[in-house]
Amino acid sequence: MPRILVIDDDAAIAEIVCINLEMAGYEVNQSPDGIQGQAMAIQIQPDLIVLDLMLPKVDGYTVCQRLRRDERTSDIPILMLTALSQTQNKVEGFNAGADDYLTKPFEIEELLARVRALLRRTDRIPQAAKHSEILNYGELTLVPERFEAIWRGSTIKLTHLEFELLHCLLQRHGQTVSPSDILREVWGYDPDDDIETIRVHIRHLRTKMEPDPRRPKYIKTIYGAGYCLELQNDREEEKSSVS
């Protein structure tokens, strides 16, 4: 039975969330503040954390950053649950290390859908390793067992979401992948009009892979259409060097 830790100081909302998660078959623990919540996360090692941003003592951004820096909790999926709905709040949440972001008020079914999608990635071996799919092209090789990429001779450590996103683009190398397809495949739920989630993680990938992230040459934005991963394979590189 997957264990979920809910960190939220709003007693009414926390109760609703906990009850519905338990009814859905999860084991649930709850904390009313950031300090206790961080300690509980380290102690019980949950499979997923539902984290409110506006917390007493320590805010959710700080808690998320601390959990990501601690190797004992760095891989635990984190769903931010908050009343803050501005784009900048979402960007800050993702930059702090959140995997997904759900604003209050919310539908319980939407919460459960997000939880199921995040728990899909709690396996040590991601989706890419469960099928016979493309795991390398040119100078890029994905290593599912360690959530790493070998890129141009160097090893890059990726988060679970970064790995799944890069894998999604690699499967369609040279093709434009729409935000809707990315959300369905990587996040596991039907798309909405907000693609800020994708933009933030694309930005993180570019920081790790691009010589100049502000002028990407490998992970390209196709305006109005989506994103495209463009690499050279060995033969293309040989032709380029000859010419």
Side-chain angles (χ1 to χ4, degrees):
M1 181 184 297
R3 175 179 289 182
I4 298 175
L5 173 61
V6 178
I7 307 176
D8 196 325
D9 65 319
D10 189 320
I13 291 181
E15 182 179 10
I16 292 173
V17 170
C18 290
I19 288 175
N20 281 276
L21 287 173
E22 289 173 347
M23 291 176 61
Y26 302 109
E27 181 179 346
V28 183
N29 296 88
Q30 195 265 329
S31 171
D33 67 71
I35 294 179
Q36 184 190 80
Q38 181 184 350
M40 288 182 66
I42 294 172
Q43 178 182 2
I44 68 177
Q45 298 284 296
D47 297 292
L48 182 142
I49 298 172
V50 178
L51 175 64
D52 186 32
L53 284 185
M54 306 302 289
L55 292 169
K57 299 183 180 179
V58 179
D59 65 81
Y61 294 121
T62 303
V63 173
C64 189
Q65 290 171 340
R66 290 177 177 176
L67 293 173
R68 285 291 175 252
R69 288 197 296 264
D70 192 318
E71 62 181 19
R72 294 169 294 182
T73 56
S74 60
D75 289 336
I76 298 175
I78 297 176
L79 170 61
M80 282 192 170
L81 193 64
T82 177
L84 301 175
S85 60
Q86 297 298 316
T87 297
Q88 184 58 34
N89 299 128
K90 295 183 179 182
V91 171
E92 291 175 1
F94 288 126
N95 285 335
D99 295 279
D100 207 349
Y101 196 109
L102 188 59
T103 57
K104 305 173 184 177
F106 56 87
E107 297 290 336
I108 290 298
E109 283 304 316
E110 177 69 7
L111 171 68
L112 295 177
R114 301 292 180 99
V115 166
R116 287 193 296 268
L118 287 174
L119 285 173
R120 176 177 65 86
R121 289 189 292 274
T122 59
D123 294 339
R124 291 303 174 186
I125 304 300
Q127 294 298 308
K130 299 176 182 177
H131 307 283
S132 298
E133 296 177 329
I134 299 172
L135 291 176
N136 66 279
Y137 189 95
E139 292 186 282
L140 176 65
T141 299
L142 300 184
V143 185
E145 293 79 7
R146 297 192 299 272
F147 292 98
E148 293 176 349
I150 299 173
W151 171 234
R152 312 194 76 179
S154 299
T155 299
I156 301 173
K157 181 66 177 177
L158 303 170
T159 67
H160 291 201
L161 273 171
E162 289 167 356
F163 186 96
E164 296 283 2
L165 177 55
L166 186 55
H167 177 257
C168 175
L169 295 175
L170 182 60
Q171 297 308 297
R172 302 164 180 81
H173 176 268
Q175 305 175 31
T176 300
V177 187
S178 70
S180 297
D181 287 340
I182 292 174
L183 281 172
R184 287 194 187 98
E185 184 168 328
V186 177
W187 274 265
Y189 54 78
D190 289 333
D192 52 30
D193 294 330
D194 179 18
I195 63 169
E196 194 59 41
T197 299
I198 301 174
R199 288 174 179 162
V200 172
H201 288 86
I202 287 287
R203 194 177 307 135
H204 290 172
L205 272 180
R206 284 172 173 163
T207 299
K208 295 181 178 183
M209 294 183 61
E210 298 281 0
D212 184 355
R214 293 172 298 179
R215 297 178 176 83
K217 57 185 293 188
Y218 303 114
I219 305 174
K220 297 183 178 181
T221 299
I222 311 300
Y223 291 98
Y227 298 93
C228 178
L229 179 66
E230 289 190 358
L231 308 174
Q232 287 187 323
N233 62 26
D234 295 335
R235 291 181 180 178
E236 288 171 343
E237 289 176 354
E238 289 176 2
K239 290 180 180 179
S240 298
S241 60
V242 171
S243 60

